[in-house]
Amino acid sequence: MALSIWEALAIFAAGIGAGTINTIVGSGTLITFPVLLATGLPPITANVSNTLGLVPGAISGVVGYRHELKGQKARILRLGGAALVGGLIGAILLLSLPSEAFDAIVPVLIGIALVLVLLQPRIAAAVQRRREETGTVAHPDGGPLLLVGLCLASMYGGYFGAAQGVLYLSLMGLLLHDTLQRINAVKNVLGALVNGVAAVFFLFVAEFDWTAVLLIAVGSTIGGQIGAKVGRKLSPSVLRGVIIAVGVVAILQLTLK
C-alpha cells in the first residue's frame, strides 16, 4: 500500500515512541498499532508488520540495558526458553483465533498485573519475613510458577503484545529477588525473543507491509536507545509509577476501543 509522506512520518514517529516506551516499560504496540490501522492497513497485516518492525527496537533496548544484564546469563537462558515457547504459540493463535478470544481477559490480566506492581514492595517484604520465620529459601529464578507465568504472558505477547512488558515486570518483580532495573533489563530480552520468534513465524505464513515494517524498525531502534537512557535513570518508585500509568492507559485503550 502506498503511503503519503505524512502517513510515513506518523508511522516513523510512532516507531520512535514505541521503541522508547517498550524499553522503559512495554506497551509500545498501543502507539504503533492504531497508527497503522489509521493508514488503512488490515488488522492482521498491521499486527504482523508491527511485530516485525519492533524487533530492532527491542534489540536496541537490550543493548542499551547491557550493563544491567551482567551476571544474568543463566537466568535469561532459563526464562528465555519459556518466552520463546509462549511467543510461538501466541503467533499461531493470532492466525487461528478471532481477536474477541483475548479481548475480554486481557484488560483483567493487565489490571491484576498493575495491582501486583503497586503492591510488590509490600508483598516481597511479607514473603521475605515469612521465609525468615520458616527457614525456607527463595528460588533464585522464580521457580516453576514464574516459568508458567512468563510462558502465558509470552503467548499473549506473540498474539498482540500491548502491555506485555507490564505483565513481565509484575511477575518477575514478585517472584525474583533483584532490583527493578535489572528485572527491566531481562524484560527487554524476553520481549525481543517473543517479537523475534513471532516475526519469524509470520514471515512464512502472513502478509507484511514492508514500508511500514522499515519505518517502525528504524524509528523503534532510535527509540530503544532513548528509552534505555531515560529508563536507567529512573528510581524504582518512579519506574513503578510509569509502569502503572502505562498500564492504566493500556486498559482504557483496550476496553474503550
Side-chain angles (χ1 to χ4, degrees), residues 6 13 85 225:
W6 298 112
V85 171
Q225 291 301 300

Side-chain angles (χ1 to χ4, degrees), residues 10-66:
I11 293 173
F12 177 67
I16 295 176
T20 301
I21 196 67
N22 271 345
T23 303
I24 299 174
V25 182
S27 301
T29 290
L30 294 176
I31 300 174
T32 46
F33 188 66
V35 173
L36 293 177
L37 292 180
T39 65
L41 286 180
I44 294 296
T45 302
N47 199 350
V48 299
S49 299
N50 179 66
T51 297
L52 181 56
L54 288 177
V55 171
I59 295 172
S60 177
V62 171
V63 172
Y65 263 88
R66 61 190 179 278

Side-chain angles (χ1 to χ4, degrees), residues 116-140:
L116 293 177
V117 169
L118 182 63
L119 299 179
Q120 186 266 330
R122 295 183 180 181
I123 295 175
V127 170
Q128 182 61 30
R129 286 195 301 270
R130 178 63 177 170
R131 286 178 181 142
E132 291 173 355
E133 292 172 357
T134 59
T136 57
V137 179
H139 194 290

Side-chain angles (χ1 to χ4, degrees), residues 111-194:
I112 293 172
L114 292 184
V115 173
L116 293 177
V117 169
L118 182 63
L119 299 179
Q120 186 266 330
R122 295 183 180 181
I123 295 175
V127 170
Q128 182 61 30
R129 286 195 301 270
R130 178 63 177 170
R131 286 178 181 142
E132 291 173 355
E133 292 172 357
T134 59
T136 57
V137 179
H139 194 290
D141 282 321
L145 181 59
L146 180 58
L147 287 178
V148 172
L150 289 179
C151 184
L152 292 174
S154 298
M155 285 174 58
Y156 166 62
Y159 186 90
F160 183 53
Q164 172 190 359
V166 175
L167 298 176
Y168 283 157
L169 288 171
S170 67
L171 285 167
M172 291 189 289
L174 187 63
L175 297 173
L176 294 178
H177 184 64
D178 211 333
T179 68
L180 193 54
Q181 287 290 1
R182 280 170 55 84
I183 288 172
N184 196 35
V186 176
K187 178 267 296 178
N188 287 334
V189 175
L190 299 182
L193 290 174
V194 170

